[in-house]
Amino acid sequence: MSRARAAAAGAVAAAVWAAQEPLDQRVFGYDYSDVAVLGKFLTRGRGWRRVGCAFHVANGAAFGLVYDEARRRLDVDPRRLAIAMALSEHLTLFSLGALVDRYHPARGEPGVPRLFSGRAFAQATWRHALFGWVLGRLA
């Protein structure tokens, strides 16, 4: 697989994640949006959604490149590797939600509820699993 394809697969997986956020917010009954967390951190203006989506997709592309390097080096089923890496990232970084809860400039606004919680953990677990599944299928 080319690096460009890996980056594109990660970008598409992140876009799928962002597109389905309104659905999982209804299913989980929790108003948590990674697009809002990123966008409202980077800008306080009306363009926060566009900025948040762009940053989220760029992060997905970078993750796709890291996945591609791991896939080249490890003798593991690539689809399982994509899901395992995405869930590992989630488990590693979830505790940073406590910092968001304390310092994010838009904490408490729509899309940026308390993140260090069981509901946010479940929602983020679903999102990372979906991201990994899409990445593994496309890459």
Side-chain angles (χ1 to χ4, degrees):
M1 162 185 11
S2 73
R3 284 177 172 67
R5 180 174 173 160
V12 169
V16 168
W17 166 331
Q20 70 77 48
E21 277 189 350
L23 174 63
D24 81 38
Q25 287 172 320
R26 286 193 295 277
V27 169
F28 285 90
Y30 205 60
D31 183 36
Y32 159 39
S33 165
D34 287 284
V35 170
V37 170
L38 291 170
K40 290 180 178 184
F41 180 78
L42 295 169
T43 182
R44 302 296 288 138
R46 293 182 319 168
W48 67 263
R49 186 177 311 277
R50 190 171 41 255
V51 169
C53 280
F55 197 75
H56 189 61
V57 168
N59 283 343
F63 191 95
L65 292 171
V66 172
Y67 161 76
D68 186 52
E69 280 301 314
R71 185 194 57 77
R72 291 173 192 267
R73 296 168 189 256
L74 300 173
D75 185 26
V76 178
D77 175 71
R79 291 179 180 175
R80 288 185 179 166
L81 177 62
I83 294 170
M85 284 181 64
L87 290 173
S88 294
E89 187 234 12
H90 163 51
L91 293 173
T92 301
L93 297 179
F94 181 76
S95 62
L96 293 178
L99 294 175
V100 172
D101 292 345
R102 184 168 181 152
Y103 298 110
H104 196 287
R107 65 190 176 275
E109 289 185 12
V112 190
R114 192 168 153 259
L115 296 185
F116 196 61
S117 72
R119 292 170 88 184
F121 182 84
Q123 208 168 2
T125 301
W126 153 250
R127 291 173 180 177
H128 282 83
L130 175 65
F131 174 86
W133 184 83
V134 173
L135 175 63
R137 289 283 180 194
L138 296 177

